Amino acid sequence: MTINIGHQNLILILIGLFFILIALITFLLRRKKKKKLQESIPGVEEMAKTTFFWANYHRGKLGEDDSQ
C-alpha cells in the first residue's frame, strides 16, 4: 500500500505548508497584545533631582566651577 507522489507534487505541498506556517506565525504575532509602556510615577523626577543635589552638597561639589 504505497502512495506514489511525484517529486514536483511533494515540493509544491511542502512549499504550501511553509507558506501556511508563515501566515499562521504572522497572524499570531499581530494578535499578541503589546505591553503597555510603564507610566511615570508623579514626583520621582523631582525626588531624584533633590537626592543628587544633597549628595553633591555633602560632597562639597556645589559652588565649584567645572570650567577649569
Side-chain angles (χ1 to χ4, degrees), residues 3-68:
I3 299 176
N4 190 5
I5 299 177
H7 290 292
Q8 187 177 5
N9 289 337
L10 184 60
I11 291 172
L12 289 175
I13 290 171
L14 290 176
I15 290 174
L17 289 174
F18 178 72
F19 282 120
I20 290 173
L21 180 66
I22 296 285
L24 181 64
I25 290 172
T26 304
F27 173 74
L28 290 175
L29 287 176
R30 286 186 182 181
R31 191 170 164 224
K32 183 179 177 182
K33 294 181 181 177
K34 294 181 181 178
K35 293 181 180 179
K36 292 182 181 178
L37 295 175
Q38 185 176 6
E39 296 179 12
S40 62
I41 301 171
V44 170
E45 188 174 341
E46 290 78 14
M47 287 190 304
K49 288 179 184 176
T50 304
T51 302
F52 286 112
F53 170 80
W54 286 112
N56 287 335
Y57 174 79
H58 288 294
R59 286 187 207 131
K61 291 187 177 182
L62 287 182
E64 288 184 11
D65 190 16
D66 294 333
S67 62
Q68 295 177 356

